[in-house]
Amino acid sequence: MRWGWTAKLPLPKGNPDMDTARKWLDAQGRTVPDHLVTDAERMKDELAERLVSGAESVQQVMVAFKKSSMDEMYAAKALLFEKYGAKLGGQKGGFGIRSYSGSTEVRISIADRIIFGPELQVAKSLIDECIESWAEGADPNIIVLINDAFQVNKAGRIDTKRVLRLQKLPIRRPDGSRDERWEKAMEAITHALIVDETATYIRFYRRNDRTNAMELVNLDFSSL
């Protein structure tokens, strides 16, 4: 529940000092008189609003920092190309810049985001036929891997890596012969691949004095 608006209501006669009445807006969009809102609800409302507002402020700082960092990295790259008289071209391809001591590094990487076309459903149908025909002779561990590959992740998408991993499985019929349906399914997976978009990432590293390894400065809340 949160403050929705302060309503101006007609004043009852004999109460000239009251010019407004506070109303709360609940989760169903209904207005609730102030006196019906409990202290616990007020506390939760204040806490949720304050923390989310704080998170949004941090998000804005991170977005601004990412943009300025990317701009500086590409500006440094352009200066280096200019110094050596090389043609800069596009921004394809990743690169990194290290401090003089090598203790800190910033890397920019480019990655294609892969999605699947309708051929993936063809592959899944062929794979299901294979599993059904293998019956009791199929390796149960392989079956688990296959079924897991077609489960959607938290974003509602099928994990590309898990599906492509199927192409590396040494699949044979229980009698050791090749299964043409499996091979056609793997071919369908290859044809289903679509490069949806290209994403650019910037990451920051500092050398751990104890292990001497370059460690990521993690800016992902879920990993902290």
Side-chain angles (χ1 to χ4, degrees):
M1 186 177 290
R2 57 187 175 83
W3 286 111
W5 39 267
T6 301
K8 296 279 187 179
L9 300 179
L11 297 178
K13 291 182 179 181
N15 194 3
D17 294 331
M18 183 184 295
D19 61 352
T20 62
R22 281 182 171 176
K23 297 276 188 179
W24 290 69
L25 191 66
D26 70 10
Q28 285 73 44
R30 300 169 300 194
T31 54
V32 180
D34 182 67
H35 70 276
L36 295 180
V37 180
T38 68
D39 289 341
E41 289 170 328
R42 296 171 194 272
M43 181 273 292
K44 290 186 291 184
D45 178 84
E46 186 278 332
L47 180 61
E49 289 288 344
R50 177 165 49 82
L51 293 184
V52 171
S53 294
E56 289 172 338
S57 297
V58 172
Q59 181 188 57
Q60 292 173 4
V61 171
M62 291 177 68
V63 169
F65 177 66
K66 177 182 178 180
K67 183 181 184 305
S68 64
S69 299
M70 298 276 282
D71 289 345
E72 289 191 59
M73 287 288 285
Y74 280 113
K77 180 182 177 181
L79 285 174
L80 292 172
F81 271 71
E82 181 181 346
K83 174 179 174 61
Y84 293 102
K87 184 178 179 181
L88 181 59
Q91 295 186 348
K92 284 281 188 179
F95 64 98
I97 291 180
R98 281 193 175 191
S99 62
Y100 189 74
S101 66
S103 61
T104 55
E105 181 179 7
V106 181
R107 300 177 195 167
I108 285 183
S109 58
I110 313 294
D112 291 331
R113 189 171 80 90
I114 304 296
I115 62 174
F116 291 105
E119 295 88 350
L120 186 65
Q121 296 180 1
V122 175
K124 181 63 169 65
S125 178
L126 290 169
I127 289 173
D128 287 341
E129 289 182 19
C130 291
I131 294 174
E132 186 177 350
S133 67
W134 295 339
E136 298 299 326
D139 184 337
N141 294 323
I142 296 294
I143 303 300
V144 170
L145 287 175
I146 292 172
N147 290 331
D148 184 60
F150 289 93
Q151 299 298 315
V152 297
N153 57 24
K154 293 181 180 179
R157 297 191 182 98
I158 290 177
D159 192 302
T160 307
K161 293 180 180 179
R162 289 189 298 188
V163 173
L164 295 180
R165 200 176 297 139
L166 297 178
Q167 295 180 320
K168 298 180 180 180
L169 295 176
I171 296 297
R172 292 289 187 273
R173 287 195 179 97
D175 62 4
S177 62
R178 292 167 50 192
D179 193 318
E180 292 183 358
R181 287 170 303 184
W182 178 267
E183 293 177 353
K184 287 182 179 179
M186 296 304 102
E187 184 180 351
I189 288 175
T190 298
H191 292 162
L193 291 173
I194 300 172
V195 177
D196 182 47
E197 62 184 24
T198 299
T200 302
Y201 303 94
I202 184 167
R203 296 182 176 92
F204 308 87
Y205 298 85
R206 182 179 293 279
R207 189 181 302 283
N208 185 314
D209 293 334
R210 184 173 55 83
T211 64
N212 206 38
M214 298 298 287
E215 295 183 347
L216 178 68
V217 179
N218 203 323
L219 299 179
D220 181 358
F221 268 18
S222 63
S223 301
L224 297 179

